[in-house]
C-alpha cells in the first residue's frame, strides 16, 4: 500500500521519469507471469502467455514499469477469477522506421484477459480513477485500495499509450494497453530459440484440456521447430 501511494503521488507530481533501455519483450512477459504462477496454480487457474513470434524481440523503454503494469493486471485477474483461464497476449505492429536508423518503431498491444467475475457496466468508466473499486463489498471481500489501476493507467500514458477495458459481469474482463517504442527483431535471438535440427520433421502429439493453452503451445512449437 505504501509503495502504491508513493508511486501515485510521484506520478501526480509529475516527477516520475521513465528509463529508456533495451529489454527483451518476451522475457518481460514471461517473467511477469512466472512471479504469479504459483498463486494461479493454487487456485487451479490456467495462466497462458500468448506471444507474437513475428514481432520484435526487444523494445526500448522502461522494463521495470512495464512489468509493474503487467504484474498488477495479472494479480487483479487472479484475484477476481475463481476458475478458468488468464491469457496475457502481446502483439506488435510496425509504425515506421525509427529516427536512429536500423531499428523500427512499433506499437505493441498487451491484453490481460480473464474468465473472472467481471465488472458491472456502470462501473467500467470510473474504474481507472484513484481509490475506485467496482462495488462497496470489494474491500471487504478482496481487500485492496483501488489505486492499482489508476497507477497502471498513468504509467501507460507516460509510455505513450492508452489503456482500455472490456468486461462482462459473470464472464470476465479484458484489460488492454498499447505502448509505442523503438524495437528490434533479432534473428540471432530467434535462432537461439530454435529446437535442435534433429527434432525437425518429427510429429508432435499435443494433449491439453484447455483450448487457449493448446493454441498457444501449437504456435510455440511451430515457431521453435520451423527451420
Ligand atoms: P484494488 O485491486 O487494490 O482494489 P485496482 O485499482 O487494482 O485496486 O482495482 C480497482 C477495482 O477494479 C477492484 O477493486 C475491482 O473491483 C475491479 N477490478 C480490477 N481488475 C479486475 C478484474 N480483472 N476482474 C474484476 N474486477 C476487477
Amino acid at each position: 500500500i505504501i509503495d502504491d501511494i508513493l508511486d501515485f503521488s510521484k506520478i501526480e507530481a509529475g516527477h516520475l521519469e521513465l528509463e529508456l533501455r533495451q529489454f527483451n519483450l518476451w522475457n518481460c512477459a514471461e517473467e511477469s507471469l512466472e512471479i504469479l504462477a504459483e498463486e494461479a496454480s493454487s487456485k487451479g487457474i490456467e495462466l497462458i502467455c500468448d506471444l507474437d513470434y513475428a514481432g520484435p524481440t526487444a523494445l526500448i523503454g522502461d522494463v521495470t514499469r512495464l512489468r509493474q503494469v503487467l504484474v498488477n493486471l495479472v494479480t487483479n485477474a487472479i484475484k477476481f477469477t475463481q476458475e478458468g483461464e488468464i491469457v496475457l497476449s502481446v502483439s506488435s505492429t510496425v509504425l515506421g522506421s525509427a529516427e536512429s536508423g536500423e531499428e523500427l518503431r512499433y506499437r505493441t498491444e498487451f491484453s490481460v484477459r480473464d474468465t473472472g467475475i467481471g465488472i458491472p457496466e456502470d462501473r467500467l468508466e470510473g474504474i481507472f480513477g484513484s481509490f475506485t473499486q467496482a462495488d462497496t463489498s470489494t474491500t471487504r471481500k478482496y481487500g485492496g485500495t483501488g489505486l492499482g489501476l489508476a497507477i497502471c493507467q498513468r504509467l501507460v500514458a507516460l509510455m505513450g499509450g492508452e489503456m482500455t477495458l472490456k468486461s462482462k459481469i459473470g464472464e470476465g474482463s479484458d484489460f488492454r494497453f498499447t505502448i509505442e517504442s523503438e524495437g528490434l527483431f533479432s534473428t540471432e535471438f530467434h535462432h537461439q530459440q530454435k529446437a535442435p535440427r534433429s527434432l525437425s520433421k518429427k510429429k508432435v502429439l499435443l494433449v491439453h484440456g484447455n483450448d487457449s493453452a493448446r493454441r498457444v503451445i501449437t504456435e510455440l512449437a511451430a515457431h521453435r521447430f520451423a527451420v
Side-chain angles (χ1 to χ4, degrees):
I1 290 177
I2 290 174
D3 278 349
D4 273 359
I5 294 171
L6 286 178
D7 270 350
F8 187 73
S9 29
K10 205 167 178 185
I11 297 171
E12 287 293 275
H15 286 309
L16 191 105
E17 285 188 17
L18 295 180
E19 267 192 1
L20 277 183
R21 287 245 287 275
Q22 185 175 313
F23 65 91
N24 185 306
L25 175 63
W26 298 0
N27 290 351
C28 170
E30 279 167 358
E31 282 160 19
S32 305
L33 293 186
E34 249 167 54
I35 301 169
L36 300 164
E38 211 173 297
E39 219 174 307
S41 128
S42 70
K43 285 182 87 174
I45 301 167
E46 201 75 46
L47 201 54
I48 298 162
C49 191
D50 185 5
L51 295 171
D52 169 14
Y53 297 108
T57 39
L59 294 181
I60 294 169
D62 195 324
V63 66
T64 314
R65 293 299 177 178
L66 176 60
R67 202 183 296 117
Q68 180 179 351
V69 174
L70 292 174
V71 168
N72 214 309
L73 294 180
V74 179
T75 303
N76 275 351
I78 297 174
K79 188 160 134 186
F80 296 105
T81 301
Q82 294 320 321
E83 57 178 347
E85 63 187 36
I86 294 163
V87 185
L88 165 63
S89 317
V90 184
S91 63
S92 302
T93 46
V94 179
L95 292 177
S97 50
E99 280 162 28
S100 54
E102 249 179 68
E103 281 122 41
L104 289 173
R105 250 194 110 64
Y106 290 94
R107 176 180 298 122
T108 304
E109 184 175 62
F110 299 83
S111 148
V112 177
R113 182 179 60 73
D114 66 52
T115 52
I117 60 170
I119 298 170
E121 209 178 328
D122 61 334
R123 305 294 294 179
L124 289 178
E125 210 170 299
I127 208 76
F128 294 110
S130 44
F131 304 107
T132 308
Q133 297 188 313
D135 68 76
T136 43
S137 63
T138 306
T139 320
R140 192 164 26 84
K141 254 202 286 194
Y142 300 97
T145 55
L147 267 183
L149 288 179
I151 294 171
C152 287
Q153 194 204 31
R154 284 160 176 79
L155 284 177
V156 167
L158 283 173
M159 292 190 247
E162 197 178 358
M163 187 173 276
T164 56
L165 161 65
K166 275 196 189 137
S167 186
K168 234 183 181 160
I169 208 98
E171 285 184 21
S173 309
D174 186 358
F175 286 84
R176 284 171 184 255
F177 67 93
T178 53
I179 59 172
E180 286 184 16
S181 62
E182 288 179 20
L184 215 76
F185 183 91
S186 155
T187 25
E188 194 189 336
F189 181 73
H190 275 269
H191 204 73
Q192 285 165 9
Q193 298 263 317
K194 298 286 182 212
R197 255 173 190 281
S198 58
L199 289 179
S200 76
K201 300 216 166 76
K202 295 274 187 292
K203 283 191 177 148
V204 177
L205 172 68
L206 174 63
V207 182
H208 201 299
N210 178 290
D211 288 350
S212 307
R214 224 166 33 239
R215 179 179 56 77
V216 167
I217 299 170
T218 305
E219 279 166 20
L220 177 67
H223 168 72
R224 293 264 162 108
F225 288 93
V227 194

